[in-house]
Amino acid sequence: MDSPPRRKSGLTLPSGMSESSLRLDTIPSSNFRITCVASPRTISSLSSPSKSSTCSDRFIPCRSSSRLHTFGLIEKESPVKEGGNEAYSKLLKSELFGSDFASFSPSPAGGHGGSALSSPSKNMLRFKTDHSGPNSPYSPSILGHDSGISTETSTPPKPPRKVPKTPHKVLDAPSLQDDFYLNLVDWSSQNVLAVGLGTCVYLWTASNSRVTKLCDLGPNDSVCSVQWTREGSYISIGTCLGQIQIWDGTQCKRVRTMGGHQTRTGVLAWNSRILSSGSRDRNILHHDLRVSSDYVSKLVGHKSEVCGLKWSCDDRELASGGNDNQLLVWNQHSQQPILKLTEHTAAVKAITWSPHQSNLLASGGGTADRCIRFWNTTNGHQLNHVDTGSQVCNLAWSKNVNELVSTHGYSQNQIMVWKYPSLTKVANLTGHSLRVLYLAMSPDGQTIVTGAGDETLRFWNVFPSMKAPTPVKETGLWSLGRTHIR
């Protein structure tokens, strides 16, 4: 009897290899291996006669015995984000793989192929950098997640520093002139405030509120500017007649009188050795107290009254502003300006140098300009500018933080504090009823005093101390009140 015909396996074998050459070895473990055994003649036809080997030796691991949780690869459930992660994941899957992939459901357990396609590892989308285009409706930035890092652990934004909106002390200052071109208030490094009122200069000691009358120029003259030396012992006074008087502030004694200007001297600026003065006669004079002559050099460059004057912190450069809308920068030795900056469209009185960055200068323009402009004096480039909306009367840079304060005139009469370089507004203070023409800063850099034609001096806590980042708390020492300065 013929044996029943064999069923064909459907395999196409190489020539010389029979089905009996295939063997399935079962290993009693979680892994299995398929081994292909060929006859020596077959192997010799595939490789060199001197070598023997096996082909298609493949290792297939079993995922069930792996300890992925040990390595933190399995996403932990978060009760806070329950439901949120699932919706967000579906949106990302739909965007990256299509809507069919997002709606595909896993096959029942045991279907290895379907499970692998329908449920990719969550780690693939967990640690993610946003490369999506701006027009994608599922962009992580639009959804509020810029990275895979949880927002629960991110640092919350720092709240803005609080600046008191009201002055903590107000002084009456009768006869304080409402004149844009004068500079009648200065605060010494020894904590004494000098104020020019009419024909007199008064000294107010901040530690005990004692008021001292320094001098009276008489009925034929008046005070146009005051400026302390950096050490705070001597004070210079510019007069309407063009004179400059030097006084010993501790003994209230006049040391010297110097001439040179033809008319009023509205602005003064000290460096470590030289006193510079600006006048309505359009000239800038350098005075040296060690020399007997009235002045040692003259700078000619402005075409109208000089109303702004500031030495840089390192004494290398002098910035001057005039009623001709020009901002000029001079060095120590040159008789001609090294920079002529003409972007302002009104008088430049407000000038300040940054104590934090060399060669960084800020200037402010008058009513027709209203802008604060920032300059790199190394190359003369304008770095930035901001329109304040009002006449800029004064600028002062804080030495404690990288911020500056500006005072304003027409039409809002406000005081503004700015962060640099972002130029974001920290505070907007009001209280004066006329232009805030005068500004000075306390020796510790925390308090400013402002003066206006409303005949008041107002003290504001605007900057933090150099040691503590928080504003200084108000105490009974600076109680509210109005005290006559004379």
Side-chain angles (χ1 to χ4, degrees):
M1 182 180 295
D2 295 335
S3 60
R6 292 186 178 182
R7 187 175 53 184
K8 295 184 178 181
S9 63
L11 296 175
T12 303
L13 301 176
S15 61
M17 181 182 291
S18 62
E19 294 181 7
S20 61
S21 301
L22 293 175
R23 182 176 73 252
L24 178 62
D25 293 338
T26 304
I27 302 175
S29 66
S30 59
N31 301 324
F32 62 88
R33 180 176 62 189
I34 297 177
T35 307
C36 176
V37 181
S39 64
R41 185 172 60 85
T42 304
I43 295 175
S44 63
S45 64
L46 298 176
S47 60
S48 61
S50 61
K51 299 180 180 178
S52 62
S53 63
T54 59
C55 61
S56 300
D57 189 7
R58 183 181 179 195
F59 176 76
I60 303 177
C62 179
R63 302 289 185 185
S64 61
S65 63
S66 301
R67 296 177 297 169
L68 298 182
H69 64 277
T70 305
F71 306 97
L73 298 177
I74 299 178
E75 186 175 23
K76 298 179 181 180
E77 295 296 332
S78 173
V80 178
K81 291 187 174 182
E82 187 174 356
N85 278 346
E86 182 180 356
Y88 181 61
S89 178
K90 285 184 179 181
L91 290 175
L92 288 178
K93 290 175 185 177
S94 176
E95 177 67 5
L96 295 175
F97 304 108
S99 57
D100 294 338
F101 181 87
S103 61
F104 191 80
S105 59
S107 60
H112 298 287
S115 176
L117 290 175
S118 63
S119 181
S121 172
K122 294 181 180 180
N123 295 316
M124 182 177 66
L125 299 176
R126 186 177 183 186
F127 302 100
K128 181 180 180 304
T129 302
D130 181 19
H131 297 294
S132 60
N135 295 327
S136 171
Y138 305 103
S139 172
S141 60
I142 297 176
L143 294 172
H145 299 275
D146 293 332
S147 65
I149 301 175
S150 172
T151 56
E152 296 172 5
T153 59
S154 61
T155 304
K158 187 176 180 180
R161 179 167 55 84
K162 293 183 179 180
V163 177
K165 298 295 184 181
T166 57
H168 56 68
K169 191 172 186 66
V170 179
L171 297 179
D172 273 337
S175 303
L176 186 61
Q177 298 296 307
D178 185 22
D179 192 326
F180 179 80
Y181 300 98
L182 305 185
N183 293 271
L184 298 175
V185 177
D186 193 36
W187 205 329
S188 79
S189 58
Q190 297 187 14
N191 210 17
V192 178
L193 185 70
V195 185
L197 301 177
T199 63
C200 301
V201 174
Y202 291 88
L203 305 182
W204 181 81
T205 305
S207 59
N208 55 20
S209 298
R210 186 180 66 180
V211 178
T212 304
K213 182 178 179 181
L214 178 68
C215 66
D216 188 341
L217 301 182
N220 299 322
D221 207 349
S222 62
V223 180
C224 294
S225 56
V226 295
Q227 183 73 37
W228 289 97
T229 59
R230 292 184 177 178
E231 295 77 18
S233 300
Y234 294 89
I235 183 173
S236 55
I237 303 171
T239 75
C240 187
L241 297 179
Q243 291 184 339
I244 299 171
Q245 298 184 7
I246 309 298
W247 286 73
D248 185 333
T250 57
Q251 300 182 11
C252 295
K253 181 180 179 181
R254 186 170 62 182
V255 176
R256 187 173 176 183
T257 300
M258 297 176 289
H261 288 297
Q262 304 301 315
T263 182
R264 72 179 183 183
T265 306
V267 61
L268 300 167
W270 283 94
N271 67 13
S272 56
R273 303 186 314 272
I274 300 297
L275 171 63
S276 301
S277 58
S279 171
R280 183 183 273 179
D281 63 11
R282 303 172 294 179
N283 297 326
I284 300 171
L285 300 180
H286 288 331
H287 311 268
D288 192 336
L289 299 185
R290 301 167 297 178
V291 179
S292 58
S293 58
D294 285 336
Y295 60 93
V296 293
S297 62
K298 178 189 291 187
L299 305 181
V300 180
H302 285 284
K303 301 175 182 178
S304 187
E305 180 171 6
V306 181
C307 52
L309 210 56
K310 280 289 174 64
W311 279 98
S312 62
C313 301
D314 57 9
D315 291 346
R316 294 184 178 181
E317 294 178 325
L318 174 69
S320 63
N323 199 34
D324 55 1
N325 308 346
Q326 288 191 103
L327 175 65
L328 306 182
V329 179
W330 318 73
N331 64 20
Q332 290 175 307
H333 310 293
S334 175
Q335 299 296 309
Q336 298 296 324
I338 59 175
L339 286 177
K340 290 186 177 182
L341 307 173
T342 59
E343 277 76 0
H344 284 292
T345 57
V348 182
K349 177 191 178 185
I351 298 173
T352 186
W353 293 87
S354 170
H356 310 286
Q357 182 178 341
S358 60
N359 304 314
L360 176 57
L361 175 67
S363 59
T367 308
D369 183 81
R370 306 179 305 179
C371 289
I372 302 174
R373 302 180 187 273
F374 298 86
W375 312 89
N376 181 349
T377 60
T378 303
N379 51 30
H381 292 167
Q382 183 177 209
L383 303 175
N384 206 345
H385 75 279
V386 58
D387 189 339
T388 66
S390 297
Q391 175 191 42
V392 184
C393 302
N394 293 279
L395 287 171
W397 218 302
S398 170
K399 63 182 180 180
N400 298 346
V401 290
N402 199 9
E403 299 176 2
L404 64 159
V405 59
S406 59
T407 70
H408 300 269
Y410 304 123
S411 57
Q412 300 180 39
N413 307 323
Q414 79 272 41
I415 302 159
M416 304 173 76
V417 183
W418 310 84
K419 278 187 178 295
Y420 188 84
S422 65
L423 297 184
T424 55
K425 196 182 301 181
V426 178
N428 186 39
L429 309 175
T430 57
H432 286 288
S433 58
L434 293 177
R435 297 181 295 175
V436 189
L437 297 175
Y438 310 110
L439 170 68
M441 191 176 296
S442 64
D444 62 7
Q446 301 179 56
T447 303
I448 63 169
V449 58
T450 56
D454 58 10
E455 299 185 339
T456 63
L457 296 174
R458 298 172 185 265
F459 295 79
W460 314 78
N461 254 341
V462 295
F463 296 120
S465 65
M466 191 171 293
K467 294 181 181 179
T470 55
V472 176
K473 295 182 180 179
E474 297 182 13
T475 63
L477 178 65
W478 297 101
S479 59
L480 282 172
R482 295 174 62 87
T483 306
H484 285 279
I485 201 169
R486 66 176 183 181

